Amino acid sequence: MNDVGSSRYSWMQESELEVLAVAAIREHRHLIAADEAVYEEWTRASADPSISAAVLKSLQDEYVARQKKSEAQQEALSEIIDALGYVPEVAPDGEE
């Protein structure tokens, strides 16, 4: 196991960390999919001259907010994986 120093996860058992890591990986996958959907909507709207600037700004703001949330979640996932010492196998969604 890696030296995790003052990690907030360092006190957890490996089995607990693995469950937490799997859940965080699944959450990360869902966030990425949702982010991509918003990005696609934003780019489609950007190409449509009938879409107002306010709607475009709203989509852009939502995308940026989602990116910040994904970044924070990615940092937490990274900390969990560092504490665990490896990346657990996680079946693709729907194949559990």
Side-chain angles (χ1 to χ4, degrees):
M1 205 150 153
N2 293 345
D3 179 27
V4 294
S6 63
S7 168
R8 60 185 157 168
Y9 301 103
S10 60
W11 59 270
M12 295 179 76
Q13 297 292 322
E14 181 177 345
S15 60
E16 295 171 313
L17 282 168
E18 187 167 325
V19 168
L20 195 59
V22 168
I25 290 168
R26 287 191 173 123
E27 178 184 1
H28 187 68
R29 289 176 181 173
H30 292 296
L31 287 173
I32 288 172
D35 291 351
E36 288 175 1
V38 170
Y39 180 76
E40 289 171 8
E41 181 63 24
W42 176 33
T43 54
R44 274 194 300 275
S46 296
D48 185 344
S50 70
I51 302 296
S52 72
V55 170
L56 290 176
K57 177 73 170 127
S58 175
L59 288 168
Q60 179 182 15
D61 291 349
E62 181 179 352
Y63 179 71
V64 170
R66 286 178 166 280
Q67 288 296 292
K68 288 178 184 177
K69 181 179 179 181
S70 290
E71 181 180 336
Q73 195 275 337
Q74 175 66 43
E75 289 174 13
L77 173 58
S78 179
E79 189 177 342
I80 293 165
I81 289 173
D82 285 348
L84 181 58
Y86 63 93
V87 178
E89 295 264 343
V90 181
D93 290 343
E95 293 185 19
E96 297 159 40

